[in-house]
């Protein structure tokens, strides 16, 4: 590659917008700045709501809490050696009903022999199974659909 072609490539890379260009926000004319300030005055300040107040607004969430468990939650609870039912009841300070969808069970079965402990954990009678009526075994969509239909679940 010749020296001339190399310099052409470098020049193409170095093209930048001029700092005094009128397209930049800081170089707008005075009239436009005044219009922007008038629009900003019309916007009201929205006070952020704390996430811990969610239980106050959603009346469907009350003890005993219904918790739907995902595949990653099961695997991480096994990794950190935490009993799911005991841990959830300690965190929420109330009785918890643990639910597992058919899609989650199918997803763990697909993962193979390495996750056989998780599969044995799901067969425990303390966890209740939710049957799925849709096609496919994608657990995330299944859980999202179930939660949007009835807002009485906590997703773990």
């Amino acid at each position: 590659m010749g020296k001339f072609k190399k310099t052409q490539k470098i020049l193409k890379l170095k093209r930048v917008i001029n700092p005094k260009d009128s397209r930049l926000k800081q170089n707008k004319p005075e009239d436009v700045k005044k219009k922007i300030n008038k629009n900003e005055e019309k916007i009201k300040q929205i006070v952020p709501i704390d996430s811990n107040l969610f239980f106050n607004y959603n009346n469907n969430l009350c003890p005993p809490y219904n918790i739907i468990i995902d595949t990653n939650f099961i695997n991480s609870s096994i990794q950190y050696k935490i009993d799911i039912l005991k841990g959830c009841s300690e965190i929420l300070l109330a009785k918890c009903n643990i639910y597992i969808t058919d899609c989650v069970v199918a997803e763990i079965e697909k993962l193979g022999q390495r996750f056989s402990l998780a599969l044995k954990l799901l067969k425990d009678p303390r966890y209740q199974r939710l049957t799925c009526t849709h096609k496919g075994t994608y657990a995330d969509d299944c859980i999202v659909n179930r939660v949007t239909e009835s807002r009485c679940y906590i997703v773990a």
Side-chain angles (χ1 to χ4, degrees), residues 1-128:
M1 194 178 239
K3 190 174 185 180
F4 180 70
K5 288 185 180 179
K6 284 183 184 177
T7 54
Q8 276 187 335
K9 283 187 178 182
I10 292 171
L11 290 175
K12 285 181 183 178
L13 292 175
K14 288 189 176 182
R15 288 186 188 160
V16 219
I17 295 178
N18 188 356
K20 296 180 182 178
D21 195 350
S22 63
R23 292 177 285 180
L24 294 173
K25 286 185 180 180
Q26 61 192 10
N27 297 327
K28 295 267 182 183
E30 297 278 333
D31 299 331
V32 177
K33 285 184 181 178
K34 290 179 184 177
K35 289 180 184 177
I36 291 172
N37 290 336
K38 288 179 183 177
N39 291 338
E40 287 177 3
E41 292 171 4
K42 292 180 184 178
I43 297 173
K44 296 179 181 178
Q45 184 177 1
I46 299 172
V47 180
I49 299 172
D50 292 335
S51 62
N52 61 358
L53 296 177
F54 179 73
F55 291 111
N56 295 338
Y57 294 110
N58 191 353
N59 296 327
N60 296 334
L61 289 175
C62 59
Y65 295 111
N66 300 323
I67 302 173
I68 296 181
I69 295 182
D70 190 23
T71 310
N72 295 330
F73 187 80
I74 296 165
N75 291 335
S76 61
S77 69
I78 291 171
Q79 181 182 359
Y80 294 113
K81 298 177 183 170
I82 299 171
D83 182 29
I84 295 173
L85 195 60
K86 185 179 175 186
C88 290
S89 61
E90 285 178 2
I91 289 174
L92 295 173
L93 300 173
K95 186 177 183 250
C96 299
N97 298 327
I98 307 293
Y99 292 101
I100 300 166
T101 61
D102 290 337
C103 295
V104 172
V105 175
E107 194 174 54
I108 290 178
E109 286 174 353
K110 282 182 184 179
L111 292 175
Q113 186 66 27
R114 212 172 107 199
F115 296 94
S116 61
L117 181 62
L119 195 59
K120 286 180 186 176
L121 184 68
L122 293 180
K123 306 282 181 173
D124 190 0
R126 296 184 296 172
Y127 306 131
Q128 299 172 6

Side-chain angles (χ1 to χ4, degrees), residues 134-150:
H134 58 84
K135 293 182 179 179
T137 57
Y138 193 63
D140 295 339
D141 289 339
C142 175
I143 291 172
V144 168
N145 289 336
R146 192 167 297 267
V147 170
T148 52
E149 286 173 3
S150 58

